[in-house]
Amino acid sequence: MQTQDSSISATKTQDTPTYGDVVAIYSPCNRTYDPHDNIIINASSNTLGGGNVICTATYTIDNGPAHTLRTESIQMYSWDPFFHHYLQGVGKLPKLPAGQHKLTVYMKSEIQYATTKELFLEGETTVYFSIGDTKPPNITLCEIDGEVFNQNSVPLNFTINEAASWLGYSLDNSTQITITANTTLTIPVGNHTLTVYANDTYGNMGQSEMAHFTVLINPTESPTYDVALVAYAILVIAGASAVFVVFKRKQNRNH
């Protein structure tokens, strides 16, 4: 069985019969593992030859240095002078950081005759897998908390410590609104709160500290008034003044 998304290369000698030259990795598989998992390496190959079989197996992680795997050679069946061996390499991966990783397992079988040793099987397989992330992204708001803006356009700038599959913000604890990057918001006059949210590529949701800020009318701008409302106010004031004058005249006549 060959692991999905792995590549196999095998080198054969011309003088030695070779029938089982496939190196297979059964674990890890091409999937995402929990960071708390203990990941076991399990790889094998089948060989056919004569004499004693000497098997070595190593692995590299992310193109790093080679590490030795424990090997077992099991004689499945035999007929003189040949026999079938099932070669297995087993080990345990160290703790790895979150992200994608590359594991390559190399196995070699040599036939030990009475006075000579010949290369019988040599091959490797590479598999790609990922370690998941359980930490939420860290989001920091920039230049907004405690600020007073004299305009309705408020810059929403923030930083995030990892890639995000979704971004959004909430103004005054309202429904979250999706954004794709830093942006500018149009916000009404008043006191407000703002929180930015992000979902990383592993499904962890994070949020920033809540920012508090104020939007005021620009003091250099003259206030605008509704013309009809101003006219109505003038009429009311004029009417009240006329009533007051008539009332005062009546008072003077009575005296």
Side-chain angles (χ1 to χ4, degrees):
M1 180 179 70
Q2 182 176 341
T3 305
Q4 185 180 1
D5 285 349
S6 61
S7 59
I8 296 177
S9 63
T11 302
K12 305 177 183 179
T13 60
Q14 299 297 320
D15 300 330
T16 305
T18 303
Y19 299 96
D21 59 351
V22 175
V23 177
I25 299 176
Y26 299 99
S27 175
C29 299
N30 179 29
R31 66 178 180 87
T32 299
Y33 289 83
D34 187 275
H36 302 292
D37 288 344
N38 292 318
I39 304 176
I40 302 300
I41 303 173
N42 188 356
S44 67
S45 67
N46 295 321
T47 69
L48 184 66
N52 296 322
V53 175
I54 301 174
C55 176
T56 57
T58 60
Y59 77 91
T60 62
I61 189 74
D62 300 329
N63 297 319
H67 302 275
T68 301
L69 290 172
R70 177 174 58 86
T71 58
E72 297 177 356
S73 179
I74 304 172
Q75 183 171 320
M76 305 297 292
Y77 54 86
S78 65
W79 62 94
D80 190 41
F82 301 103
F83 47 80
H84 181 193
H85 273 260
Y86 176 75
L87 304 176
Q88 186 175 32
V90 179
K92 180 180 177 181
L93 281 175
K95 292 296 182 182
L96 299 171
Q100 188 181 67
H101 297 281
K102 172 186 176 183
L103 172 73
T104 299
V105 174
Y106 167 82
M107 301 186 77
K108 180 173 71 173
S109 298
E110 295 176 296
I111 308 301
Q112 180 68 61
Y113 297 103
T115 58
T116 61
K117 183 169 63 175
E118 295 184 52
L119 178 66
F120 178 72
L121 176 77
E122 186 177 31
E124 67 180 26
T125 297
T126 296
V127 64
Y128 296 89
F129 64 97
S130 297
I131 303 296
D133 182 7
T134 58
K135 295 181 179 180
N138 184 13
I139 311 161
T140 303
L141 284 170
C142 305
E143 301 176 352
I144 188 170
D145 188 44
E147 295 293 324
V148 176
F149 297 93
N150 293 322
Q151 57 187 11
N152 296 111
S153 296
V154 176
L156 174 54
N157 297 320
F158 58 91
T159 60
I160 183 170
N161 67 333
E162 60 178 307
S165 60
W166 177 85
L167 294 168
Y169 73 91
S170 173
L171 180 66
D172 300 328
N173 293 316
S174 61
T175 303
Q176 296 172 7
I177 298 175
T178 299
I179 55 176
T180 57
N182 291 337
T183 186
T184 300
L185 306 178
T186 300
I187 298 178
V189 172
N191 297 319
H192 299 282
T193 61
L194 183 71
T195 305
V196 172
Y197 299 85
N199 197 329
D200 67 14
T201 54
Y202 296 99
N204 303 305
M205 180 68 78
Q207 67 182 71
S208 68
E209 294 288 337
M210 180 180 288
H212 298 77
F213 63 96
T214 302
V215 175
L216 297 177
I217 296 177
N218 192 328
T220 61
E221 295 180 357
S222 300
T224 57
Y225 303 98
D226 186 273
V227 175
L229 182 61
V230 172
Y232 176 77
I234 293 173
L235 289 175
V236 170
I237 294 172
S241 299
V243 170
F244 179 76
V245 170
V246 172
F247 176 76
K248 292 297 289 182
R249 286 178 178 176
K250 287 183 178 181
Q251 278 189 329
N252 292 334
R253 288 175 183 175
N254 292 335
H255 290 294

